[in-house]
């Protein structure tokens, strides 16, 4: 995303005719979008992917132990069930295989253009087309555009002095170095979030010594993870309805967790008790337990699930450090208790850059308006998917669409179907623009923010869900069912519709 | 000492960190410790190190209870900084050949009792009680002990280390007194009574029962080493003076309790106080070591090594 100034060779410009839809990103969202469009009869699609392979999150997060926190039967598309999940919670490799399977099954390869790193997306008012320019100067145009680049796709590093000075090896969890030999090494892991608690139990088996640097302890829940027996796979293959029924059960079970995780209720206390029991059951040392005890309400930050994390921390070759870090030197990490902890390798399991502006590249709408500017005080959209002034543009995982308690893919499916409706209206109705009314957007957001004020996310802890000012533009304050209902209807009255001349 | 802007203070704390590795522990000067000084200094350093460590644990409890995010972060830094002081003092002991092998010096029984109490109950204590006790411990013990040390020890590395330690401590005290005043701000009579109420909490009574003999024990130890008693008392009076400089500070009942107690400690002729407390020191001295519970694992985090 650097080379924007050099003027591209003219031959490269607009080398393809305008597509009906351009999709940015070939992860779960982008590919799901293509499948749903294809099923609705739209096949004139271009998917722009910056990497050399599809898969998004699950292509990037291939660190040891990477797995999904949601049962696979729910973390998959209902329109493409997989009877062969090997476990209740699948590893990232298996999820990536599922994505590749989607590619094959729905013949998506024809839409995907890999190695196309989008640097800006501009609405051209003359032609009423969205133009996506790549770092190599190629321009792709489409009547509608779908932003499926993912909210958590750029690796984030902690704000500690001297990261550049470290002379040893550095690895970010989302850009794993599979060639690095950990055997016999002294290794640090910074972070104790969702990625870290998966990496640590795997890494501790390989390295000579592992030191874990924790900033804030999270709530860790036991994980009911089982291998799928063969008879179960056979059953799902023969009777897809059985799998659909299980999915429904899992869905409802997760829905009920909203009562614990999203709002403060007696169930919240119950969930906290379960978390404390899990800690007490797995950690015998009182001080270590204190270090691992969260001091905020469950749900305020992402809830973690693991049976292996606490035991891993207590292995002889592992140590948890909770002293604040103040500097990274060329040999290691300096903490405030005055010790320099030296390492061969530092693993940053510090999550992702959450762009408050919502997009990692400039998006220009009507009258040259810049999304970055409009969202500088906190992102907002209409039903998370459309933004006034940016016609014919659909956001996947846009503002306030994040689930805290249920499968992201459940939310995604409602977004995909909503986008299909909008795009069909544009194409079938031969519309020039379909643009949400500012008033509808404001009303929607006022209601969302009012509801958010009562949630655990806004209960006082700091998390990536909130901007530095404490504005929550990330999460959806409700059940997945409510979200799905919100996305079910396409209120045409909330849109300004301009037919093609 | 004017009232402190806590947000700015936190930034300053974060920006002025140091490590044991910043000091050359092998630099010349260790030989300046005299033959007569050595054994006394050894005991003195061990006590000092343990007081820092106990202070660290108290800050850890305060971090949990802090009323604001700024204070929560501040105290988690102070917790680590006190640990750093203990580590640095241990590094000095190592330099002066006072560590047998790499073993941490044993804390005395009164310290052991305080450690045990902190481990069991500190996290349950109201913020404002620790918030008043800690400045007293810091100003009296740390303050008096550190000045005495610098007056009697010529080793430049010791001065180097304590220059940094004192910089940290002055920030701890500044924050400590500001917080004490915050706790007294706008308090009604009912609010004040509510603040005093925990004094009948048996857990707190146990805490008082281990804190009070510790002070007398430390006084005795310090006298043994040749620190004029008056210096310790002067430091304790500083608590009364600074803590009571504003109406808010004076309205904090725990300031009043701690400073009144300070007066008892300072007044050697108060036999009603000193006779039973000195007896308690003697009595606790009789507790066989094996009767004491195992030290909590946070004690094992101490290290004299600049790198790990």
């Amino acid at each position: 995303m650097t080379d924007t100034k050099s003027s591209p060779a003219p031959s490269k410009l607009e080398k393809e005719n305008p597509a009906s839809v351009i999709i940015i990103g070939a992860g779960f969202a982008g590919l799901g979008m293509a499948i749903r469009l294809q099923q609705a009869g739209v096949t004139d699609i271009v998917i722009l992917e910056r990497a050399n392979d599809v898969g998004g999150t699950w292509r990037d997060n291939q660190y040891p132990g990477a797995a999904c926190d949601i049962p696979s039967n729910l973390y998959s598309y209902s329109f493409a069930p997989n009877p062969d999940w090997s476990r209740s919670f699948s590893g990232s490799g298996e999820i990536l295989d599922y994505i590749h399977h989607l590619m094959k099954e729905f013949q998506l390869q024809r839409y995907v253009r890999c190695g196309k790193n989008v640097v800006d997306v501009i609405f051209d008012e003359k032609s009423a087309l969205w133009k996506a320019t790549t770092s190599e100067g190629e321009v792709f145009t489409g009547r509608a555009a779908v932003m499926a680049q993912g909210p958590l796709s750029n690796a984030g590093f902690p704000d500690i002095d001297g990261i550049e000075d470290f002379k040893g090896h550095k690895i970010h969890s989302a850009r794993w170095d599979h060639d690095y030999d950990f055997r016999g090494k002294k290794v640090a892991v910074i972070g104790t979030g969702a990625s870290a608690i998966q990496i640590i139990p795997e890494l501790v088996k390989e390295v000579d010594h592992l030191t874990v640097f924790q900033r804030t302890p999270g709530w860790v829940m036991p994980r009911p993870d089982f291998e799928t027996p063969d008879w179960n796979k056979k059953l799902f293959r023969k009777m897809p309805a059985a799998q659909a029924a299980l999915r429904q059960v899992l869905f409802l079970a997760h829905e009920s967790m909203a009562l614990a995780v999203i709002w403060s209720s007696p169930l919240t206390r119950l969930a906290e008790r379960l978390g404390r029991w899990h800690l007490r059951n797995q950690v015998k040392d009182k001080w270590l337990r204190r270090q691992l005890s969260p001091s905020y309400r469950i749900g305020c930050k992402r809830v973690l699930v693991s049976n292996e994390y606490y035991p891993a921390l207590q292995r002889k070759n592992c140590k948890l450090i909770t002293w604040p870090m103040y500097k990274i030197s060329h040999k290691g990490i300096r903490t405030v208790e005055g010790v320099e902890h030296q390492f061969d390798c530092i693993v940053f399991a510090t999550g992702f850059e959450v762009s408050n502006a919502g997009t990692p590249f400039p998006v220009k709408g009507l009258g040259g308006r810049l999304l970055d500017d409009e969202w500088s005080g906190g992102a907002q959209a209409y039903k998370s998917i459309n933004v006034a002034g940016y016609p014919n543009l659909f956001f996947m995982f846009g503002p306030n669409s994040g689930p805290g308690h249920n499968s992201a893919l459940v939310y995604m499916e409602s977004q995909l179907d909503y986008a299909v409706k909008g795009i069909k209206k544009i194409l079938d109705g031969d519309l020039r623009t379909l643009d949400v009314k500012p008033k509808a957007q404001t009303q929607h957001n006022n209601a969302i923010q009012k509801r958010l004020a009562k949630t655990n996310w806004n209960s006082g802890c700091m998390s990536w869900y909130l901007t530095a000012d404490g504005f929550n533009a990330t999460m959806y304050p409700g059940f997945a069912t409510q979200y799905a209902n919100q996305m079910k209807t396409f209120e045409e009255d909330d849109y300004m519709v301009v037919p093609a001349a | 000492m004017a009232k402190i802007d806590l947000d700015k203070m936190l930034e300053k704390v974060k920006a002025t960190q140091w490590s044991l590795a910043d000091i050359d522990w092998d630099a010349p000067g260790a030989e300046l410790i005299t033959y007569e000084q050595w054994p006394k200094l050894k005991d003195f350093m061990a006590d000092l190190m343990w007081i820092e460590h106990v202070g660290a644990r108290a800050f850890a409890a305060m971090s949990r209870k802090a009323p604001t995010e700024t204070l929560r972060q501040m105290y988690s830094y102070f917790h680590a900084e006190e640990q750093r002081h203990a580590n640095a003092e241990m590094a000095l002991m190592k330099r002066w050949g006072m560590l047998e092998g790499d073993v941490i010096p044993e804390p005395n029984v009164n310290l052991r009792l305080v450690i045990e109490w902190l481990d069991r109950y500190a996290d349950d204590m109201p913020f404002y009680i620790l918030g008043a006790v800690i400045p007293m411990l810091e100003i009296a013990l740390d303050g008096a002990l550190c000045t005495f040390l610098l007056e009697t020890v010529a080793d430049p590395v010791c001065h180097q280390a304590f220059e940094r330690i004192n910089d940290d401590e002055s920030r701890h005290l500044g924050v400590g007194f500001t917080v004490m005043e915050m706790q007294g701000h706008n308090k009604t009579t009912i609010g004040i009574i509510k603040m005093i109420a925990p004094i009948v909490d048996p857990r707190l009574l146990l805490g008082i029962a281990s804190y009070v003999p510790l002070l007398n024990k430390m006084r005795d130890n310090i006298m043994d080493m040749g620190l004029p008693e008056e210096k310790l008392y002067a430091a304790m009076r500083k608590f009364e003076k600074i803590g009571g400089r504003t109406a808010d500070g004076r309205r904090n009942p725990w300031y009043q309790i701690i400073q009144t107690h300070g007066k008892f400690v300072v007044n050697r002729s108060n036999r009603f106080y000193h006779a039973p407390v000195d007896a308690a020191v003697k009595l606790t001295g009789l507790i066989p070591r094996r009767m004491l519970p195992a030290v909590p694992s946070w004690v094992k985090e101490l290290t004299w090594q600049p790198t790990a």
Side-chain angles (χ1 to χ4, degrees):
Chain A
M1 269 186 278
T2 46
D3 190 14
T4 47
K5 276 176 274 166
S6 60
S7 55
S11 61
K12 276 188 167 179
L13 273 168
E14 296 180 41
K15 55 193 220 171
E16 299 194 39
N17 291 326
S20 294
V21 186
I22 45 175
I23 299 170
I24 296 158
F28 255 124
L31 298 178
M33 188 73 252
I35 296 171
R36 294 312 257 173
L37 282 169
Q38 183 174 271
Q39 288 172 336
V42 182
T43 52
D44 187 9
I45 304 166
V46 173
I47 305 177
L48 302 174
E49 169 55 53
R50 69 177 172 184
N52 289 320
D53 189 14
V54 300
T57 301
W58 301 102
R59 173 204 60 225
D60 291 342
N61 287 275
Q62 288 285 338
Y63 54 78
C68 187
D69 279 356
I70 297 283
S72 301
N73 273 311
L74 196 53
Y75 194 82
S76 48
Y77 282 128
S78 65
F79 49 79
N82 172 20
D84 294 322
W85 292 118
S86 66
R87 314 187 58 83
S88 35
F89 294 84
S90 298
S92 74
E94 199 173 347
I95 300 174
L96 189 58
D97 287 347
Y98 171 73
I99 294 174
H100 285 137
H101 160 81
L102 293 179
M103 286 286 289
K104 225 189 261 164
E105 167 134 355
F106 295 95
Q107 300 177 333
L108 303 178
Q109 199 57 57
R110 51 195 160 147
Y111 307 133
V112 180
R113 310 279 183 279
C114 281
K116 305 294 179 201
N117 185 14
V118 172
V119 291
D120 64 30
V121 178
I122 297 170
F123 186 67
D124 181 59
E125 288 184 53
K126 224 154 117 200
S127 58
L129 292 174
W130 279 99
K131 292 189 170 186
T133 309
T134 69
S135 52
E136 291 183 329
E138 289 172 275
V139 179
F140 293 86
T141 53
R143 290 189 61 187
V146 177
M147 304 282 287
Q149 79 284 349
L152 304 176
S153 44
N154 285 340
F157 287 88
D159 180 23
I160 307 173
D161 272 356
I163 288 192
E164 294 313 315
D165 301 339
F166 182 62
K167 294 257 169 25
H169 200 64
K170 280 183 281 191
I171 300 178
H172 189 280
S173 58
R175 292 185 219 136
W176 200 257
D177 180 352
H178 291 275
D179 297 329
Y180 187 73
D181 186 3
F182 282 96
R183 281 172 301 177
K185 300 278 170 43
K186 270 184 85 180
V187 178
V189 172
I190 300 182
T192 52
S195 303
I197 69 155
Q198 296 183 337
I199 294 173
I200 291 161
E202 293 303 314
L203 222 45
V204 76
K205 293 180 205 159
E206 270 193 67
V207 300
D208 180 52
H209 194 273
L210 189 71
T211 309
V212 176
F213 290 83
Q214 170 185 278
R215 292 174 293 182
T216 318
W219 285 98
V220 181
M221 294 294 177
R223 177 180 172 114
D225 191 16
F226 310 101
E227 257 179 61
T228 319
D230 278 340
W231 61 260
N232 199 164
K233 293 181 192 168
K234 270 185 210 149
L235 174 75
F236 285 171
R237 243 172 269 145
K238 287 205 176 118
M239 291 178 60
Q243 191 169 15
L246 174 66
R247 186 185 166 97
Q248 193 57 25
V249 169
L250 288 170
F251 173 76
L252 290 173
H254 279 81
E255 277 294 76
S256 70
M257 288 181 206
L259 291 170
V261 173
I262 301 186
W263 302 282
S264 180
S265 77
L267 275 180
T268 311
R269 303 289 98 73
L270 206 65
E272 288 180 349
R273 277 174 81 161
L274 177 63
R276 271 194 289 267
W277 171 84
H278 189 47
L279 178 61
R280 184 170 280 276
N281 188 39
Q282 292 201 322
V283 179
K284 294 296 164 230
D285 183 70
K286 199 175 154 193
W287 179 248
L288 182 59
R289 227 162 39 218
R290 185 188 188 276
Q291 289 177 301
L292 291 169
S293 295
S295 51
Y296 57 86
R297 196 187 289 163
I298 195 167
C300 192
K301 283 166 180 280
R302 181 162 165 186
V303 179
L304 309 173
V305 282
S306 175
N307 299 336
E308 288 87 35
Y309 173 58
Y310 290 148
L313 286 180
Q314 295 169 87
R315 282 176 61 137
K316 271 210 175 79
N317 63 335
C318 192
K319 183 164 175 54
L320 176 74
I321 301 265
T322 53
W323 306 115
M325 293 169 274
Y326 79 89
K327 190 180 168 183
I328 294 185
S329 67
H330 64 282
K331 280 189 179 157
I333 299 166
R334 290 190 173 189
T335 38
V336 177
E337 98 285 21
V339 179
E340 179 177 284
H341 305 266
Q342 300 182 340
F343 302 105
D344 299 309
C345 172
I346 300 179
V347 173
F348 293 88
T350 43
F352 304 89
E353 256 175 41
V354 180
S355 147
N356 288 340
T359 57
F361 42 77
V363 177
K364 266 189 201 162
L366 293 175
R369 65 181 72 198
L370 203 57
L371 197 60
D372 256 350
D373 294 344
E374 290 191 69
W375 281 1
S376 59
Q380 48 168 291
Y382 170 76
K383 295 188 179 182
S384 82
I385 201 164
N386 292 121
V387 180
Y390 302 81
N392 311 351
L393 183 66
F394 299 84
F395 289 83
M396 294 296 121
F397 277 121
N400 300 108
S401 61
H405 68 291
N406 213 323
S407 169
L409 293 198
V410 168
Y411 286 66
M412 186 99 74
E413 283 193 20
S414 341
Q415 294 168 35
L416 298 178
D417 290 346
Y418 190 93
V420 167
K421 278 182 205 143
I423 291 168
K424 287 288 278 180
K425 278 188 204 297
I426 296 165
L427 300 178
D428 296 351
D430 197 18
L431 303 183
R432 184 185 145 79
T433 56
L434 176 73
D435 191 7
V436 72
K437 290 177 185 163
K439 198 178 158 201
Q441 184 174 315
T442 308
Q443 273 171 354
H444 174 79
N445 277 286
N446 289 346
I448 287 272
Q449 289 301 327
K450 216 166 157 183
R451 279 158 59 191
L452 272 168
K454 296 179 196 125
T455 62
N456 291 343
W457 303 309
N458 292 32
S459 68
C461 74
M462 289 199 287
S463 72
W464 67 263
Y465 301 151
L466 309 181
T467 65
D469 305 328
F471 183 80
N472 190 338
T474 317
M475 306 304 273
Y476 176 75
F479 292 98
T481 314
Q482 278 174 291
Y483 184 81
N485 283 340
Q486 163 190 302
M487 304 307 278
K488 211 174 257 169
T489 49
F490 195 102
E491 307 279 356
E492 219 163 300
D493 291 348
D494 285 343
Y495 288 82
M496 284 177 293
V497 179
V498 181
Chain B
M1 227 185 276
K3 208 166 191 169
I4 284 170
D5 178 332
L6 292 174
D7 289 305
K8 276 191 196 143
M9 181 53 109
L10 180 60
E11 286 314 307
K12 196 170 168 194
V13 166
K14 286 182 177 174
T16 48
Q17 289 301 322
W18 56 279
S19 267
L20 264 57
D22 295 332
I23 292 168
D24 179 5
W25 300 99
D26 298 323
E31 68 285 355
L32 294 170
I33 306 295
T34 63
Y35 185 73
E36 299 79 50
Q37 246 178 346
W38 195 88
K40 286 180 187 169
L41 193 59
K42 185 182 169 191
D43 292 343
F44 182 91
M45 290 301 288
D47 278 349
L48 183 60
M49 185 206 91
W50 280 108
I51 291 168
E52 304 268 18
H53 194 46
V54 161
R57 180 62 184 85
F59 276 132
M62 291 183 74
S63 173
R64 274 289 159 93
K65 291 276 162 140
T68 66
E69 173 60 24
T70 306
L71 279 175
R72 190 195 67 70
Q73 279 193 42
M74 187 94 77
Y75 287 121
S76 74
Y77 270 81
F78 287 1
H79 171 205
E81 288 180 352
E82 290 293 341
Q83 180 89 2
R84 174 168 66 205
H85 301 168
N87 287 344
E89 284 149 19
M90 221 168 126
L92 278 174
M93 292 182 77
K94 174 80 184 164
R95 168 181 167 82
W96 295 333
M98 292 169 181
L99 296 184
E100 282 143 36
D102 289 342
V103 183
I104 309 172
E106 281 262 341
N108 66 48
V109 172
N110 297 97
L111 274 163
R112 279 290 292 277
L113 292 173
V114 169
I115 289 170
E116 184 57 26
W117 180 83
L118 280 167
D119 191 48
R120 272 174 195 265
Y121 302 120
D123 289 340
D124 300 326
M125 284 300 119
F127 178 76
Y128 49 81
I129 297 182
L130 290 170
V133 178
I134 296 300
M136 180 54 139
L137 271 178
E138 290 227 47
I139 207 166
L141 298 172
D142 256 6
L145 297 186
C146 295
T147 348
F148 173 64
L149 191 71
L150 291 182
E151 281 168 10
T152 47
V153 175
D155 183 357
V157 172
C158 175
H159 284 256
Q160 237 184 72
F162 274 93
E163 197 177 312
R164 289 169 189 269
I165 291 176
N166 286 337
D167 279 351
D168 292 344
E169 295 289 4
S170 66
R171 283 190 286 269
H172 295 187
L173 275 174
V175 171
F177 283 115
T178 301
V179 167
M180 216 153 58
E181 285 168 8
M182 277 164 60
Q183 299 296 323
H185 182 64
N186 274 347
K187 278 279 175 330
T188 58
T189 313
I190 291 179
I192 288 170
I193 292 169
K194 274 189 182 158
M195 279 173 84
I196 303 174
I199 203 164
V200 293
D201 182 335
R203 294 171 300 181
L204 181 59
L205 290 174
L206 272 177
I208 294 170
S210 44
Y211 162 76
V212 162
L214 176 70
L215 279 185
N216 276 32
K217 167 85 178 173
M218 297 310 292
R219 178 203 62 198
D220 296 348
N221 279 8
I222 295 160
M223 300 311 119
D224 283 354
M225 279 172 247
L227 171 83
E229 204 168 328
E230 257 318 300
K231 287 211 168 167
L232 177 63
Y233 300 156
M236 289 179 79
R237 282 191 204 103
K238 237 163 122 186
F239 175 86
E240 184 189 340
K241 204 175 126 207
I242 302 173
R245 69 199 156 163
T246 63
D248 280 344
R250 290 190 295 275
R251 207 178 294 118
N252 182 334
W254 283 91
Y255 159 76
Q256 294 295 352
I257 292 169
I258 302 285
Q259 69 98 359
T260 309
H261 172 246
K263 279 185 187 155
F264 292 167
V265 177
V266 172
N267 181 5
R268 277 279 209 157
S269 58
N270 183 346
R271 293 200 43 83
F272 283 111
Y273 178 78
H274 285 285
V277 174
D278 285 339
V281 174
K282 279 215 182 92
L283 210 62
T284 47
L286 296 175
I287 302 175
R289 290 219 158 233
R290 59 193 163 76
M291 295 265 293
L292 294 169
V295 286
S297 59
W298 46 269
V299 168
K300 293 168 192 152
E301 304 268 315
L302 286 168
T303 177
W304 56 269
Q305 285 174 312
T307 60

